[in-house]
Amino acid sequence: MKPRNWAIAASISFLAMMLVYGYGASRMFSLDMRKECTYFLHQDYDPKYASAGEQFFPLSKKCNASYNMVPSFVNPSVVLFLGVTSLCAGAAVVAAVRRRRAVPLRVN
């Protein structure tokens, strides 16, 4: 495959990673945690877990001990897309080096 195709695949994977991360991060923000957990998510609000704060990697914000406001698919997807991005970027570099070496030099 051409280096450009690997670079495009890496770019798409990186964009997908950023979109999934952005979706997970958007689920963390609320103006009133008690109301968000109790009325909208139908979960018990435990201030002990809610006051523990939020984490940005892995994404996490808890209403109580058993409920996280960030969907469970977000963190594994971010790691998966990061791995695919790294592999595709590495393959692009390897393909570019091989292509560069395969071009014969013209000596006049």
Side-chain angles (χ1 to χ4, degrees):
M1 223 160 101
K2 293 182 180 179
R4 179 178 178 181
N5 294 342
W6 284 114
I8 290 171
S11 305
I12 291 171
S13 178
F14 183 75
L15 177 64
M17 179 191 69
M18 294 305 293
L19 287 173
V20 170
Y21 187 87
Y23 172 73
S26 71
R27 299 292 302 244
M28 293 172 56
F29 299 117
S30 66
L31 297 176
D32 186 4
M33 273 292 292
R34 182 180 302 272
K35 184 185 268 187
E36 180 81 22
C37 292
T38 307
Y39 297 118
F40 299 121
L41 300 174
H42 306 292
Q43 296 292 322
D44 293 329
Y45 176 76
D46 188 358
K48 179 175 128 185
Y49 287 96
S51 66
E54 49 194 46
Q55 293 178 327
F56 289 100
F57 194 80
L59 286 171
S60 176
K61 188 167 186 179
K62 297 189 176 223
C63 286
N64 54 41
S66 63
Y67 189 80
N68 194 348
M69 292 176 67
V70 178
S72 61
F73 70 88
V74 170
N75 290 318
S77 298
V78 167
V79 171
L80 176 74
F81 284 129
L82 183 61
V84 170
T85 300
S86 300
L87 289 175
C88 290
V93 170
V94 168
V97 168
R98 285 184 179 172
R99 189 171 186 183
R100 183 86 170 178
R101 289 183 183 171
V103 176
L105 293 174
R106 295 176 80 177
V107 179
N108 291 334

XYZ file of all heavy atoms in Angstrom:
843
model
N 0.831 -1.174 0.000
C 0.000 0.000 0.000
C 0.883 1.247 0.000
O 1.980 1.245 0.539
C -0.881 -0.011 1.257
C -2.304 0.377 0.993
S -3.441 -0.161 2.255
C -3.659 1.329 3.157
N 0.383 2.303 -0.558
C 1.144 3.547 -0.641
C 1.187 4.237 0.724
O 0.271 4.113 1.521
C 0.493 4.482 -1.655
C 0.567 3.981 -3.078
C -0.060 4.980 -4.013
C 0.009 4.476 -5.440
N -0.602 5.419 -6.371
N 2.263 4.977 0.970
C 2.371 5.703 2.241
C 1.214 6.682 2.453
O 0.751 6.875 3.577
C 3.698 6.449 2.122
C 4.461 5.761 1.068
C 3.474 5.119 0.170
N 0.742 7.278 1.373
C -0.353 8.233 1.494
C -1.618 7.547 2.016
O -2.346 8.118 2.825
C -0.624 8.876 0.139
C -1.743 9.858 0.184
C -1.962 10.510 -1.147
N -3.097 11.423 -1.034
C -3.558 12.125 -2.016
N -2.979 12.052 -3.200
N -4.582 12.912 -1.847
N -1.896 6.328 1.554
C -3.081 5.607 2.012
C -2.977 5.277 3.503
O -3.979 5.343 4.229
C -3.284 4.337 1.201
C -3.623 4.629 -0.252
O -4.019 5.742 -0.579
N -3.446 3.647 -1.107
N -1.777 4.908 3.963
C -1.586 4.638 5.387
C -1.778 5.911 6.199
O -2.352 5.884 7.287
C -0.200 4.065 5.652
C -0.058 2.632 5.268
C 0.731 2.129 4.278
C -0.710 1.509 5.876
N 0.595 0.760 4.225
C -0.277 0.353 5.199
C -1.618 1.368 6.913
C -0.724 -0.916 5.532
C -2.066 0.099 7.250
C -1.620 -1.026 6.561
N -1.302 7.024 5.677
C -1.459 8.294 6.383
C -2.935 8.708 6.453
O -3.392 9.220 7.481
C -0.637 9.383 5.692
N -3.683 8.455 5.396
C -5.112 8.751 5.409
C -5.824 7.869 6.426
O -6.684 8.341 7.182
C -5.714 8.595 3.996
C -5.204 9.715 3.086
C -7.234 8.577 4.043
C -5.555 9.545 1.629
N -5.462 6.582 6.466
C -6.070 5.671 7.448
C -5.746 6.120 8.872
O -6.614 6.073 9.758
C -5.577 4.245 7.213
N -4.519 6.571 9.106
C -4.141 7.071 10.432
C -4.936 8.324 10.785
O -5.381 8.483 11.920
C -2.638 7.364 10.481
N -5.149 9.199 9.816
C -5.914 10.422 10.052
C -7.365 10.114 10.391
O -7.946 10.717 11.306
C -5.876 11.331 8.823
O -4.565 11.605 8.449
N -7.963 9.179 9.669
C -9.358 8.804 9.927
C -9.485 8.170 11.302
O -10.423 8.460 12.057
C -9.872 7.876 8.814
C -9.997 8.664 7.507
C -11.205 7.235 9.206
C -10.277 7.823 6.295
N -8.540 7.310 11.655
C -8.573 6.669 12.969
C -8.398 7.699 14.086
O -9.071 7.633 15.119
C -7.478 5.604 13.059
O -7.466 5.015 14.316
N -7.524 8.664 13.872
C -7.325 9.723 14.863
C -8.586 10.566 15.013
O -8.989 10.913 16.125
C -6.137 10.607 14.468
C -5.823 11.669 15.475
C -5.184 11.346 16.657
C -6.185 12.985 15.249
C -4.895 12.324 17.607
C -5.904 13.974 16.182
C -5.262 13.641 17.354
N -9.234 10.874 13.900
C -10.481 11.642 13.946
C -11.568 10.863 14.698
O -12.288 11.432 15.524
C -10.955 11.972 12.534
C -12.283 12.716 12.426
C -12.178 14.091 13.068
C -12.703 12.832 10.982
N -11.668 9.555 14.430
C -12.646 8.726 15.137
C -12.348 8.709 16.633
O -13.266 8.774 17.459
C -12.645 7.314 14.569
N -11.065 8.616 16.996
C -10.685 8.632 18.407
C -11.102 9.945 19.061
O -11.659 9.955 20.159
C -9.174 8.443 18.557
C -8.707 8.473 20.006
S -6.936 8.556 20.193
C -6.592 10.191 19.605
N -10.870 11.060 18.398
C -11.224 12.353 18.956
C -12.740 12.514 19.088
O -13.230 13.098 20.063
C -10.639 13.488 18.105
C -9.117 13.527 18.129
S -8.435 13.620 19.792
C -8.967 15.228 20.278
N -13.495 11.989 18.126
C -14.951 12.075 18.209
C -15.497 11.253 19.376
O -16.371 11.719 20.119
C -15.582 11.602 16.896
C -15.435 12.546 15.713
C -15.953 11.887 14.434
C -16.173 13.843 15.974
N -14.985 10.042 19.553
C -15.446 9.208 20.662
C -15.041 9.836 21.994
O -15.834 9.869 22.939
C -14.893 7.765 20.528
C -15.161 6.952 21.780
C -15.493 7.079 19.323
N -13.826 10.351 22.080
C -13.379 11.004 23.305
C -14.242 12.236 23.597
O -14.638 12.476 24.738
C -11.904 11.397 23.193
C -11.333 11.926 24.491
C -10.816 11.047 25.428
C -11.328 13.281 24.774
C -10.297 11.525 26.631
C -10.819 13.762 25.961
C -10.300 12.878 26.884
O -9.804 13.346 28.071
N -14.538 13.007 22.570
C -15.376 14.184 22.743
C -16.784 13.824 23.209
O -17.367 14.510 24.052
N -17.309 12.730 22.674
C -18.629 12.284 23.113
C -18.595 11.900 24.596
O -19.465 12.299 25.364
C -19.098 11.096 22.275
C -20.365 10.473 22.802
C -21.579 11.117 22.655
C -20.334 9.253 23.461
C -22.744 10.564 23.147
C -21.487 8.693 23.960
C -22.697 9.348 23.800
O -23.829 8.790 24.307
N -17.586 11.152 24.994
C -17.463 10.758 26.399
C -17.256 11.950 27.309
O -17.841 12.026 28.395
N -16.449 12.904 26.869
C -16.204 14.095 27.683
C -17.463 14.946 27.806
O -17.720 15.532 28.860
C -15.069 14.923 27.080
N -18.264 14.978 26.746
C -19.493 15.769 26.815
C -20.499 15.174 27.790
O -21.318 15.895 28.348
C -20.129 15.891 25.428
O -20.680 14.651 25.022
N -20.439 13.865 28.009
C -21.344 13.222 28.955
C -20.957 13.523 30.406
O -21.743 13.304 31.315
C -21.353 11.702 28.748
C -21.817 11.238 27.395
C -23.280 11.522 27.199
N -24.049 10.882 28.234
C -24.922 9.928 28.048
N -25.179 9.520 26.844
N -25.569 9.403 29.071
N -19.758 14.021 30.630
C -19.269 14.293 31.981
C -19.748 15.631 32.529
O -19.790 15.819 33.737
C -17.741 14.279 32.008
C -17.148 12.924 31.757
S -15.363 12.969 31.575
C -14.840 13.728 33.062
N -20.086 16.561 31.661
C -20.371 17.912 32.104
C -21.849 18.090 32.453
O -22.729 17.746 31.673
C -19.967 18.919 31.039
C -18.503 18.871 30.737
C -18.052 18.514 29.496
C -17.575 19.160 31.715
C -16.696 18.449 29.224
C -16.226 19.107 31.459
C -15.794 18.747 30.206
N -22.094 18.601 33.631
C -23.455 18.944 34.047
C -23.366 20.078 35.057
O -22.416 20.181 35.825
C -24.160 17.735 34.654
O -23.529 17.367 35.857
N -24.367 20.926 35.055
C -24.372 22.054 35.977
C -24.777 21.631 37.386
O -24.265 22.151 38.362
C -25.310 23.146 35.460
C -24.905 23.766 34.129
C -25.952 24.755 33.657
C -23.554 24.439 34.250
N -25.689 20.685 37.468
C -26.162 20.224 38.763
C -26.083 18.696 38.785
O -26.935 18.004 38.223
C -27.597 20.696 38.992
C -28.109 20.372 40.383
O -27.329 19.853 41.199
O -29.295 20.644 40.647
N -25.048 18.169 39.434
C -24.831 16.713 39.462
C -25.983 15.976 40.122
O -26.394 14.912 39.660
C -23.540 16.380 40.209
C -22.308 16.402 39.367
S -22.270 15.088 38.178
C -22.080 13.672 39.240
N -26.483 16.486 41.202
C -27.577 15.813 41.920
C -28.796 15.663 41.007
O -29.383 14.593 40.894
C -27.951 16.572 43.176
C -29.058 15.906 43.993
C -29.389 16.704 45.232
N -28.247 16.894 46.105
C -27.872 16.051 47.072
N -28.558 14.949 47.267
N -26.829 16.314 47.819
N -29.156 16.733 40.324
C -30.315 16.688 39.436
C -30.053 15.770 38.240
O -30.923 15.002 37.828
C -30.647 18.087 38.946
C -31.897 18.155 38.098
C -32.100 19.549 37.542
C -32.967 20.337 38.499
N -33.332 21.657 37.930
N -28.861 15.853 37.681
C -28.492 15.017 36.530
C -28.606 13.537 36.872
O -29.195 12.760 36.125
C -27.063 15.343 36.084
C -26.576 14.542 34.919
C -27.065 15.069 33.596
O -27.434 16.245 33.514
O -27.051 14.287 32.639
N -28.044 13.144 38.003
C -28.063 11.734 38.394
C -29.463 11.268 38.783
O -29.906 10.201 38.364
C -27.107 11.485 39.557
S -25.372 11.665 39.118
N -30.150 12.068 39.566
C -31.435 11.640 40.118
C -32.563 11.690 39.095
O -33.271 10.698 38.895
C -31.806 12.521 41.322
O -30.716 12.521 42.237
C -33.037 11.989 42.015
N -32.736 12.818 38.434
C -33.899 13.000 37.570
C -33.693 12.494 36.148
O -34.600 11.915 35.567
C -34.317 14.469 37.536
C -34.757 14.979 38.880
C -34.077 16.008 39.509
C -35.851 14.419 39.528
C -34.473 16.480 40.743
C -36.246 14.871 40.772
C -35.557 15.896 41.368
O -35.949 16.339 42.592
N -32.519 12.726 35.595
C -32.315 12.366 34.194
C -31.772 10.952 34.014
O -32.149 10.258 33.084
C -31.389 13.383 33.527
C -31.950 14.767 33.529
C -31.275 15.794 34.139
C -33.163 15.040 32.925
C -31.793 17.075 34.149
C -33.685 16.317 32.929
C -32.997 17.341 33.538
N -30.872 10.538 34.888
C -30.262 9.209 34.757
C -30.930 8.162 35.643
O -30.604 6.986 35.547
C -28.763 9.297 35.080
C -27.964 10.233 34.176
C -26.539 10.365 34.670
C -27.991 9.737 32.741
N -31.815 8.589 36.524
C -32.545 7.679 37.430
C -31.597 6.835 38.269
O -31.762 5.633 38.414
C -33.513 6.795 36.658
C -34.461 7.571 35.803
N -35.447 8.374 36.328
C -34.547 7.697 34.452
C -36.107 8.948 35.337
N -35.586 8.553 34.188
N -30.595 7.489 38.826
C -29.602 6.839 39.678
C -29.549 7.562 41.010
O -29.826 8.752 41.092
C -28.205 6.875 39.029
C -28.096 6.118 37.739
C -28.220 4.631 37.950
O -27.730 4.087 38.925
N -28.907 3.981 37.023
N -29.167 6.828 42.038
C -28.973 7.451 43.346
C -27.730 8.339 43.295
O -26.729 7.971 42.691
C -28.786 6.394 44.433
C -30.052 5.598 44.658
O -31.143 6.165 44.464
O -29.945 4.414 45.019
N -27.824 9.484 43.932
C -26.689 10.404 43.991
C -25.975 10.193 45.311
O -26.562 10.304 46.380
C -27.185 11.845 43.875
C -26.095 12.862 44.013
C -25.214 13.100 42.976
C -25.938 13.592 45.192
C -24.209 14.043 43.094
C -24.950 14.535 45.314
C -24.080 14.757 44.272
O -23.083 15.674 44.391
N -24.698 9.849 45.241
C -23.874 9.667 46.431
C -22.774 10.725 46.400
O -21.859 10.641 45.578
C -23.278 8.268 46.453
C -22.572 7.951 47.757
O -22.510 8.832 48.634
O -22.095 6.799 47.901
N -22.832 11.722 47.279
C -21.849 12.808 47.232
C -20.423 12.338 47.452
O -19.478 12.972 46.996
C -22.277 13.758 48.333
C -23.488 13.211 48.954
C -23.834 11.915 48.303
N -20.247 11.209 48.128
C -18.899 10.687 48.370
C -18.203 10.338 47.044
O -17.037 10.660 46.843
C -18.990 9.446 49.250
C -17.678 8.795 49.567
C -17.893 7.657 50.533
C -17.249 6.413 49.996
N -17.489 5.241 50.801
N -18.926 9.726 46.130
C -18.340 9.356 44.841
C -18.360 10.525 43.870
O -17.450 10.672 43.060
C -19.076 8.158 44.245
C -18.757 6.890 44.960
C -19.581 6.402 45.951
C -17.596 6.188 44.668
C -19.275 5.244 46.631
C -17.278 5.034 45.341
C -18.117 4.563 46.316
O -17.799 3.419 46.976
N -19.386 11.339 43.933
C -19.480 12.475 43.021
C -18.426 13.534 43.327
O -17.935 14.204 42.426
C -20.874 13.091 43.100
N -18.072 13.664 44.600
C -17.072 14.665 44.960
C -15.645 14.192 44.723
O -14.713 14.964 44.845
C -17.231 15.066 46.425
O -16.924 13.966 47.267
N -15.486 12.918 44.360
C -14.144 12.393 44.087
C -13.540 13.037 42.846
O -12.343 12.957 42.632
C -14.194 10.882 43.933
N -14.385 13.672 42.058
C -13.879 14.390 40.895
C -14.013 13.579 39.629
O -14.480 12.450 39.627
N -13.601 14.204 38.584
C -13.671 13.559 37.290
C -12.278 13.285 36.784
O -11.328 13.980 37.120
C -14.446 14.433 36.312
C -13.992 15.859 36.294
C -14.981 16.763 35.596
O -16.176 16.667 35.848
O -14.505 17.569 34.798
N -12.158 12.251 35.989
C -10.882 11.897 35.378
C -11.014 12.068 33.875
O -12.040 11.726 33.294
C -10.530 10.439 35.667
C -10.246 10.135 37.099
C -9.952 8.653 37.277
O -10.492 7.816 36.580
N -9.076 8.360 38.212
N -9.961 12.557 33.257
C -10.002 12.740 31.814
C -9.292 11.630 31.066
O -9.440 11.536 29.859
C -9.447 14.112 31.446
C -10.386 15.210 31.842
C -10.178 15.944 32.989
C -11.501 15.473 31.086
C -11.055 16.934 33.364
C -12.395 16.464 31.448
C -12.169 17.196 32.596
N -8.522 10.793 31.716
C -8.037 9.550 31.108
C -7.750 8.560 32.203
O -6.842 8.782 32.982
C -6.789 9.766 30.256
C -6.527 8.568 29.400
C -7.245 8.389 28.234
C -5.616 7.606 29.770
C -7.025 7.269 27.451
C -5.395 6.493 29.000
C -6.100 6.334 27.822
N -8.498 7.501 32.286
C -9.702 7.216 31.513
C -10.839 8.133 31.933
O -10.903 8.575 33.076
C -10.021 5.769 31.869
C -9.416 5.566 33.215
C -8.204 6.448 33.258
N -11.725 8.411 30.997
C -12.863 9.286 31.278
C -13.756 8.657 32.332
O -14.152 7.502 32.209
C -13.671 9.512 30.009
C -13.045 10.438 28.973
C -13.837 10.393 27.683
C -12.969 11.842 29.486
N -14.052 9.413 33.385
C -14.879 8.875 34.457
C -15.477 10.004 35.280
O -14.791 10.956 35.630
C -14.039 7.984 35.368
O -14.795 7.526 36.445
N -16.768 9.883 35.555
C -17.463 10.759 36.492
C -18.630 9.949 37.040
O -19.509 9.537 36.303
C -17.961 12.032 35.818
C -18.509 13.022 36.819
C -18.694 14.371 36.189
C -19.095 15.386 37.231
N -19.247 16.710 36.639
N -18.603 9.723 38.341
C -19.543 8.797 38.950
C -20.668 9.496 39.688
O -20.461 10.509 40.335
C -18.813 7.869 39.906
C -17.805 7.003 39.203
C -17.253 5.964 40.113
C -16.335 5.082 39.311
N -16.481 3.711 39.593
N -21.858 8.901 39.588
C -23.009 9.313 40.398
C -22.994 8.574 41.731
O -23.335 9.133 42.763
C -24.321 8.985 39.689
S -24.704 10.056 38.318
N -22.611 7.312 41.681
C -22.525 6.475 42.877
C -21.486 5.391 42.604
O -20.797 5.445 41.587
C -23.895 5.889 43.251
C -24.545 5.139 42.126
O -23.888 4.402 41.409
N -25.838 5.337 41.950
N -21.390 4.417 43.480
C -20.349 3.396 43.345
C -20.525 2.526 42.106
O -19.554 1.976 41.585
C -20.323 2.516 44.586
N -21.750 2.400 41.613
C -21.991 1.469 40.518
C -22.361 2.134 39.195
O -22.567 1.438 38.207
C -23.114 0.496 40.913
O -24.314 1.225 41.120
N -22.442 3.446 39.135
C -22.866 4.094 37.894
C -21.896 5.202 37.502
O -21.651 6.133 38.263
C -24.271 4.685 38.025
C -24.816 5.165 36.700
C -25.351 4.260 35.801
C -24.752 6.502 36.343
C -25.832 4.684 34.584
C -25.223 6.941 35.134
C -25.763 6.033 34.247
O -26.221 6.454 33.032
N -21.384 5.080 36.302
C -20.487 6.071 35.728
C -21.251 6.825 34.639
O -21.929 6.203 33.819
C -19.259 5.378 35.145
C -18.137 6.327 34.846
O -18.311 7.535 34.857
N -16.974 5.779 34.577
N -21.151 8.130 34.607
C -21.875 8.926 33.616
C -21.322 8.741 32.210
O -22.019 8.945 31.226
C -21.829 10.407 33.995
C -22.627 10.723 35.244
S -22.494 12.437 35.761
C -23.340 13.278 34.431
N -20.073 8.339 32.097
C -19.462 8.096 30.799
C -19.826 6.676 30.369
O -19.633 5.726 31.131
C -17.925 8.252 30.885
C -17.276 7.961 29.547
C -17.562 9.637 31.359
N -20.346 6.506 29.145
C -20.704 5.160 28.688
C -19.491 4.224 28.685
O -18.354 4.648 28.461
C -21.219 5.390 27.270
C -21.633 6.812 27.235
C -20.730 7.529 28.185
N -19.753 2.957 28.896
C -18.662 1.994 29.067
C -17.874 1.723 27.791
O -16.754 1.227 27.860
C -19.213 0.682 29.612
O -20.151 0.132 28.703
N -18.402 2.033 26.620
C -17.682 1.758 25.383
C -16.655 2.831 25.047
O -15.790 2.620 24.190
C -18.654 1.609 24.208
C -19.313 2.898 23.788
C -18.716 3.723 22.859
C -20.529 3.273 24.332
C -19.314 4.908 22.479
C -21.136 4.451 23.953
C -20.533 5.270 23.030
N -16.682 3.966 25.716
C -15.858 5.105 25.325
C -14.364 4.833 25.555
O -13.552 4.981 24.630
C -16.308 6.394 26.055
C -15.311 7.513 25.843
C -17.678 6.810 25.581
N -13.977 4.437 26.755
C -12.547 4.261 27.055
C -11.886 3.154 26.232
O -10.797 3.376 25.692
C -12.353 4.038 28.551
C -12.636 5.294 29.334
O -12.246 6.379 28.934
N -13.328 5.155 30.446
N -12.499 1.959 26.080
C -11.870 0.960 25.214
C -11.776 1.413 23.755
O -10.796 1.110 23.070
C -12.783 -0.264 25.338
C -13.509 -0.088 26.605
C -13.644 1.392 26.797
N -12.778 2.157 23.288
C -12.739 2.640 21.906
C -11.614 3.647 21.697
O -10.935 3.618 20.665
C -14.074 3.287 21.533
O -15.112 2.358 21.597
N -11.407 4.506 22.675
C -10.319 5.489 22.569
C -8.967 4.772 22.489
O -8.130 5.095 21.649
C -10.351 6.482 23.756
C -9.077 7.296 23.833
C -11.550 7.394 23.648
N -8.778 3.767 23.321
C -7.512 3.023 23.305
C -7.351 2.259 21.988
O -6.263 2.234 21.400
C -7.432 2.071 24.517
C -6.240 1.142 24.414
C -7.377 2.871 25.808
N -8.426 1.653 21.496
C -8.374 0.917 20.237
C -8.018 1.840 19.077
O -7.119 1.533 18.283
C -9.716 0.233 19.978
C -9.826 -0.493 18.647
C -9.005 -1.778 18.709
C -11.262 -0.795 18.323
N -8.700 2.978 18.976
C -8.415 3.915 17.883
C -7.010 4.505 17.999
O -6.360 4.764 16.984
C -9.451 5.031 17.828
C -10.767 4.608 17.234
C -11.944 4.860 17.903
C -10.832 3.963 16.017
C -13.161 4.479 17.373
C -12.035 3.575 15.465
C -13.208 3.833 16.146
N -6.525 4.702 19.215
C -5.158 5.188 19.398
C -4.150 4.154 18.891
O -3.172 4.496 18.229
C -4.897 5.516 20.862
C -3.533 6.098 21.201
C -3.321 7.408 20.468
C -3.406 6.298 22.699
N -4.410 2.885 19.180
C -3.537 1.817 18.682
C -3.556 1.722 17.171
O -2.508 1.565 16.524
N -4.740 1.802 16.565
C -4.844 1.750 15.102
C -4.142 2.951 14.479
O -3.451 2.805 13.457
C -6.333 1.680 14.679
C -6.493 1.859 13.183
C -6.944 0.360 15.122
N -4.288 4.119 15.086
C -3.605 5.313 14.587
C -2.087 5.116 14.612
O -1.396 5.435 13.634
C -3.988 6.542 15.431
O -5.401 6.735 15.346
C -3.275 7.787 14.959
N -1.582 4.575 15.707
C -0.141 4.347 15.828
C 0.351 3.340 14.794
O 1.398 3.551 14.160
C 0.199 3.850 17.227
O -0.194 4.787 18.185
N -0.388 2.255 14.618
C 0.021 1.237 13.638
C 0.001 1.794 12.220
O 0.929 1.534 11.437
C -0.887 0.014 13.742
C -0.710 -0.841 14.982
C -1.762 -1.945 15.015
C 0.681 -1.441 15.029
N -1.040 2.525 11.878
C -1.123 3.083 10.524
C -0.042 4.137 10.276
O 0.534 4.196 9.191
C -2.510 3.680 10.283
S -3.808 2.449 10.148
N 0.239 4.955 11.279
C 1.301 5.951 11.123
C 2.662 5.270 10.968
O 3.485 5.673 10.139
C 1.311 6.901 12.312
N 2.886 4.224 11.763
C 4.137 3.465 11.625
C 4.250 2.799 10.262
O 5.320 2.795 9.636
N 3.144 2.242 9.768
C 3.148 1.616 8.442
C 3.394 2.647 7.351
O 4.061 2.355 6.351
C 1.827 0.890 8.207
N 2.896 3.864 7.528
C 3.137 4.926 6.554
C 4.612 5.284 6.491
O 5.173 5.466 5.403
C 2.313 6.166 6.905
N 5.251 5.340 7.646
C 6.690 5.645 7.678
C 7.490 4.532 7.024
O 8.383 4.778 6.209
C 7.154 5.894 9.133
C 8.660 5.970 9.220
C 6.521 7.160 9.678
N 7.165 3.284 7.361
C 7.881 2.140 6.775
C 7.679 2.107 5.264
O 8.630 1.891 4.502
C 7.419 0.818 7.435
C 7.908 -0.375 6.664
C 7.886 0.768 8.879
N 6.455 2.322 4.798
C 6.182 2.311 3.353
C 6.916 3.446 2.651
O 7.413 3.271 1.536
C 4.680 2.413 3.113
N 7.012 4.600 3.291
C 7.730 5.724 2.679
C 9.220 5.436 2.570
O 9.848 5.740 1.552
C 7.496 6.995 3.484
N 9.783 4.816 3.608
C 11.215 4.480 3.574
C 11.480 3.426 2.510
O 12.439 3.529 1.745
C 11.689 4.007 4.966
C 13.062 3.386 4.898
C 11.665 5.171 5.943
N 10.649 2.418 2.435
C 10.836 1.371 1.412
C 10.675 1.925 0.010
O 11.403 1.553 -0.900
C 9.839 0.246 1.625
C 10.186 -0.638 2.774
C 9.221 -1.791 2.866
N 9.574 -2.654 3.974
C 8.846 -3.652 4.389
N 7.708 -3.933 3.785
N 9.234 -4.385 5.404
N 9.718 2.808 -0.170
C 9.502 3.396 -1.485
C 10.675 4.279 -1.878
O 11.079 4.333 -3.030
C 8.217 4.201 -1.470
C 7.807 4.671 -2.806
C 6.428 5.257 -2.773
N 6.023 5.564 -4.136
C 4.900 6.127 -4.435
N 4.059 6.454 -3.499
N 4.605 6.384 -5.682
N 11.202 4.982 -0.910
C 12.344 5.856 -1.174
C 13.580 5.058 -1.590
O 14.320 5.459 -2.485
C 12.635 6.658 0.102
C 13.706 7.649 -0.009
C 13.135 8.929 -0.538
N 14.149 9.957 -0.406
C 13.967 11.156 -0.816
N 12.835 11.497 -1.343
N 14.915 12.043 -0.713
N 13.787 3.921 -0.948
C 14.935 3.079 -1.278
C 14.758 2.351 -2.595
O 15.726 2.000 -3.244
C 15.166 2.049 -0.182
C 15.704 2.648 1.084
C 15.980 1.586 2.084
N 16.425 2.186 3.325
C 16.594 1.531 4.448
N 16.334 0.223 4.508
N 17.000 2.130 5.545
N 13.519 2.111 -3.030
C 13.253 1.351 -4.237
C 13.469 2.189 -5.499
O 13.616 1.651 -6.592
C 11.827 0.823 -4.232
N 13.495 3.505 -5.380
C 13.681 4.370 -6.538
C 15.150 4.375 -6.917
O 16.016 4.749 -6.122
C 13.200 5.822 -6.216
C 13.491 6.747 -7.381
C 11.735 5.807 -5.856
N 15.462 3.913 -8.143
C 16.875 3.909 -8.548
C 17.388 5.317 -8.829
O 16.643 6.172 -9.314
C 16.878 3.064 -9.832
C 15.478 3.167 -10.341
C 14.586 3.383 -9.157
N 18.629 5.521 -8.522
C 19.257 6.817 -8.766
C 19.742 6.859 -10.207
O 20.353 5.904 -10.705
C 20.429 7.044 -7.815
C 20.069 7.188 -6.352
C 21.326 7.272 -5.514
C 19.230 8.420 -6.139
N 19.499 7.978 -10.860
C 19.974 8.132 -12.241
C 21.274 8.920 -12.237
O 21.346 10.019 -11.727
C 18.929 8.878 -13.048
C 17.658 8.074 -13.164
C 16.618 8.862 -13.868
N 16.854 8.790 -15.296
C 16.074 9.328 -16.192
N 15.026 10.009 -15.812
N 16.329 9.220 -17.471
N 22.269 8.321 -12.766
C 23.556 8.966 -12.856
C 23.858 9.221 -14.334
O 23.873 8.308 -15.137
C 24.668 8.090 -12.227
C 26.017 8.784 -12.364
C 24.328 7.788 -10.806
N 24.093 10.458 -14.670
C 24.388 10.793 -16.076
C 25.833 10.932 -16.311
O 26.668 11.383 -15.738
C 23.663 12.073 -16.488
C 22.156 11.847 -16.564
O 21.744 10.710 -16.790
N 21.397 12.896 -16.390
